[in-house]
């Protein structure tokens, strides 16, 4: 490919990133990839109900492909960075467009979930950092045993405060996903008045399924179903 063609393509990518619509598209695509991970992770976690052997085998299986695991980790990290940088830049642009806030703010046409995006996002990020230190590295889990993922999950969720923190984070994640999925359809221009109610229902459906799937683990441990 000639250097002119490469230059033109790079220019187009920079112009897209600079535009508000481009940033919204970046948020939509990165958000969708993170959503796929969250859905897969929630489904994988449900194997905890099949007992320690099955759950640890599943966790072990992920480690038998170290290159694949690291490739996924790096992609997820890039998606998280893009998602956060685009969100912060869009928020700053919005503020520059209206430097003085409304005297009395009365939300019109926005849902509770859409108004919480900018604070649920940082709390979910803080949760992910805590979660990695709890169940991946074990720094915050006093009973952590390397490689015994089932034991680590039980050790963590047996503490009701830890379970409550996870459940609280999952409530925020559900709100974030519901609005995020809906915005994604909008940003990618996938909406049509005829399909709007169905798309809204689909976003709510996935948010609720992911919420119930995730909280079933701490609830399973606290109720003794998962021992
Ligand atoms: C109650 C809910 C959750 C449970 C029980 C859970 C369980 C786990 C466990 C057991 C691991 C360690 C896996 C291993 O070391 O093999 C893990 C890792 C991880 N979890 Fe979760 N998780 C939950 C929610 C979430 C959520 C909501 C997110 C993201 C929004 C998330 C993101 C991650 C990430 C990024 C890793 C590290 C994967 C890696 O690179 O090794 N988890 N989770």
């Amino acid at each position: 490919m000639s250097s002119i063609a490469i230059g033109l393509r790079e220019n187009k990518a920079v112009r897209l990133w600079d535009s508000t619509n481009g940033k919204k598209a970046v948020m939509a695509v990165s958000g969708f990839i993170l959503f796929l991970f969250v859905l897969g992770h929630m489904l994988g976690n449900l194997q905890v109900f099949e007992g320690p052997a099955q759950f640890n085998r599943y966790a072990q299986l992920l480690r038998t492909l170290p290159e694949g695991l690291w490739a996924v980790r790096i992609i997820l990290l890039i998606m998280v960075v893009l998602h956060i940088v685009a969100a912060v830049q869009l928020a700053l642009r919005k503020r520059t467009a209206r430097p003085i806030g409304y005297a009395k703010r009365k939300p019109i046409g926005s849902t509770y979930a859409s108004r919480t995006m900018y604070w649920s996002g940082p709390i979910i990020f803080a949760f992910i950092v805590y979660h990695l230190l709890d169940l991946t590295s074990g720094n915050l889990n006093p009973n952590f045993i390397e490689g015994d993922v089932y034991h680590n999950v039980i050790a963590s969720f047996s503490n009701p405060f830890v379970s409550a923190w996870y459940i609280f984070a999952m409530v925020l994640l559900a709100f974030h996903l519901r609005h995020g999925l809906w915005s994604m359809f909008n940003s990618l221009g996938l909406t049509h008045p005829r399909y709007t109610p169905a798309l809204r229902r689909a976003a709510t459906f996935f948010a609720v399924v992911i919420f119930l799937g995730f909280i079933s683990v701490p609830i399973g441990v606290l109720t003794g179903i998962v021992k």
Side-chain angles (χ1 to χ4, degrees):
M1 196 185 290
S2 74
S3 57
I4 296 175
I6 294 172
L8 279 176
R9 203 205 268 169
E10 276 173 2
N11 215 351
K12 227 173 158 186
V14 171
R15 274 213 310 271
L16 183 70
W17 174 252
D18 275 344
S19 72
T20 296
N21 281 344
K23 287 189 198 303
K24 285 186 177 172
V26 168
M27 286 211 73
V29 173
S30 57
F32 184 65
I33 293 170
L34 293 170
F35 160 73
L36 289 181
F37 164 77
V38 165
L39 183 63
H41 186 34
M42 182 278 287
L43 292 172
N45 281 351
L46 294 181
Q47 296 188 47
V48 81
F49 293 99
E50 291 178 35
Q54 174 60 30
F55 195 59
N56 282 346
R57 197 177 315 131
Y58 159 69
Q60 207 52 49
L61 188 76
L62 298 179
R63 286 185 174 68
T64 53
L65 297 163
E67 298 86 7
L69 184 63
W70 275 105
V72 172
R73 282 173 171 164
I74 289 166
I75 292 171
L76 287 177
L77 190 64
I78 293 172
M79 292 308 127
V80 168
V81 171
L82 286 176
H83 202 72
I84 294 175
V85 171
V88 170
Q89 290 184 341
L90 282 171
L92 291 176
R93 269 189 195 180
K94 225 175 176 178
R95 191 180 291 177
T96 317
R98 174 173 280 280
I100 302 165
Y102 294 96
K104 193 159 184 238
R105 198 158 177 272
K106 197 170 169 224
I108 301 168
S110 66
T111 62
Y112 182 70
S114 75
R115 292 195 300 277
T116 61
M117 291 309 267
Y118 280 105
W119 60 265
S120 60
I123 298 178
I124 293 166
F125 180 72
F127 161 79
I128 296 172
V129 174
Y130 171 86
H131 179 50
L132 294 179
L133 293 171
D134 175 28
L135 291 176
T136 301
S137 70
N139 300 62
L140 292 180
N141 190 338
N143 299 308
F144 188 81
I145 300 176
E146 186 72 53
D148 193 347
V149 184
Y150 187 87
H151 161 88
N152 297 335
V153 166
I154 309 253
S156 187
F157 293 143
S158 299
N159 180 337
F161 291 109
V162 173
S163 279
W165 161 227
Y166 268 80
I167 293 170
F168 169 69
M170 294 309 105
V171 172
L172 294 188
L173 179 69
F175 277 112
H176 197 88
L177 278 178
R178 186 171 76 115
H179 182 71
L181 286 170
W182 168 241
S183 305
M184 178 191 79
F185 295 135
N186 267 317
S187 301
L188 299 179
L190 299 175
T191 48
H192 182 283
R194 201 188 305 163
Y195 309 120
T196 299
L199 290 174
R200 272 195 195 281
R201 275 201 297 275
T204 305
F205 171 80
F206 279 110
V208 170
V209 166
I210 286 176
F211 172 69
L212 293 177
F214 272 133
I215 66 157
S216 69
V217 182
I219 289 179
V221 174
L222 287 178
T223 54
I225 295 170
V226 179
K227 299 196 191 64

